[in-house]
Amino acid sequence: MRRWLRLALALSPFGLTAMTFVWLMTTNPFVAPFVARGTDQLAITLEREMARTVNPEWLVPRFQDAVAAKDLDRIELHIDLAQAYQIPLPPETLTLAGDIVAAQSGFVANSLSCAQCAVDISSCRSIAQLGACAVPFEVSPAGDLNALRRAGVNYATGAEVDELDLGLALVGLGATAAIVVSGGTSGTIKLGAGLIRTARRLGSLTPDFARILGGAARLPVNWSRVPAYLGGRAPLDEITDTVQLARLGAIAADLGRLRRNTDTAQALVLMRHIDSAEDAARLARVSDAAGPNTRRIMQVLGKSRVFRAMVRLSDATIGALAFGYALIVQILVFCGQQCGNLCLRRLRRLI
């Protein structure tokens, strides 16, 4: 009896661990092993990765390359990083950078007027001017109506209709009328639609993302009802399929959120990292956590590394792995103990 009691006591830790592990496995912890980090947790993770990456050995050569290339955006980015992480930069290179910044600022100050930039986006001489002048016009009802007018004229004359430009105009007008519902406020959707239009004209859209947007913008349009809609006598759903339009609106909402969390210039640059609607949603989530620092985080860590930081192992998966490891260790310890006891008994018999 005592022998069996000792055996039961010896096996009880192993048994409890095994039962817990079996119970955890019944919850299917490996079906969805990764979960999204919360906004605060993501912000901490990204800042930790930045602090680990940005050091003098990483920053100084890149700053010198930016100065040699006279790349104003990269120069300002690396100066900001040096200030944020208290990294000294070479004085002579810093002086050259100051001269480049002064020259570029003078060029911008003497560039074409904001009104001309708003009308002709190709005349904008800088991202900053484009963000200040062109985007406000593009996100206004006037910009949407102008795009719809262009599409109507092209349709009437038999010219090719720009489907994406038309779709974005309908998204913007629908957002103004609070018809398109895509999870964001109408202002955010409208802002995102204008941002897409501006990025497209600027050439900031990746080919994959442009193709996805083009597919989402292939909308049926009842051109005979457009005049009535423009006159306020017909709802948007008499012109096009608003359910299909909402898909494009959802992408616009994510990009509008990106713009609100950063600024126009940053958002236009960051759109070069977007290859799909999922990328747009992920980047919007990153901007929720990083705010105005989103661009420099993407620049330093890269798209893949940032997106990987957005997820972590779920608690259930960690628990299952821990109990699985404990179970294996206990089995090995138990087997080792039994082998040791067997060897010890045989040794005693020999003695």
Side-chain angles (χ1 to χ4, degrees), residues 259-270:
R259 162 62 184 85
R260 287 190 185 279
N261 291 332
T262 56
D263 57 46
T264 301
Q266 278 200 59
L268 288 169
V269 173
L270 287 167

Side-chain angles (χ1 to χ4, degrees), residues 52-72:
R52 187 181 301 167
T53 302
V54 180
N55 53 48
E57 292 74 19
W58 183 93
L59 182 62
V60 173
R62 287 169 172 78
F63 175 64
Q64 292 172 334
D65 291 342
V67 172
K70 296 184 179 181
D71 188 328
L72 180 61

